[in-house]
Amino acid sequence: MLNIFAELSAYPASGWMVGDHRTDILAARAAGCRSLWCSWGFGRRDELEPDAIANDPLDVVSLVDA
């Protein structure tokens, strides 16, 4: 993931990792970016707290654009 930020000359703190599993939240933390967990997916977040939660696909745009 960090190579994508480097290629775009972007800072990880300005980006989001969007996913539906706890590993996506952990990957975001490791990369230094924010995490958005999609509640309609197949994964689980267990006790992990993402930076934002999307309950509908349409929520993703408004949450990452905020």
Side-chain angles (χ1 to χ4, degrees), residues 12-25:
S14 67
W16 288 87
M17 172 67 162
V18 178
D20 70 344
H21 200 270
R22 64 187 309 277
T23 55
D24 299 316
I25 298 169

Side-chain angles (χ1 to χ4, degrees), residues 36-56:
L36 190 152
W37 185 72
C38 301
S39 67
W40 67 89
F42 294 105
R44 61 182 204 277
R45 64 182 173 105
D46 297 335
E47 73 286 350
L48 296 176
E49 288 296 324
D51 295 296
I53 296 175
N55 293 310
D56 183 275

Side-chain angles (χ1 to χ4, degrees), residues 5-17:
F5 285 111
E7 188 173 321
L8 296 172
S9 299
Y11 295 101
S14 67
W16 288 87
M17 172 67 162

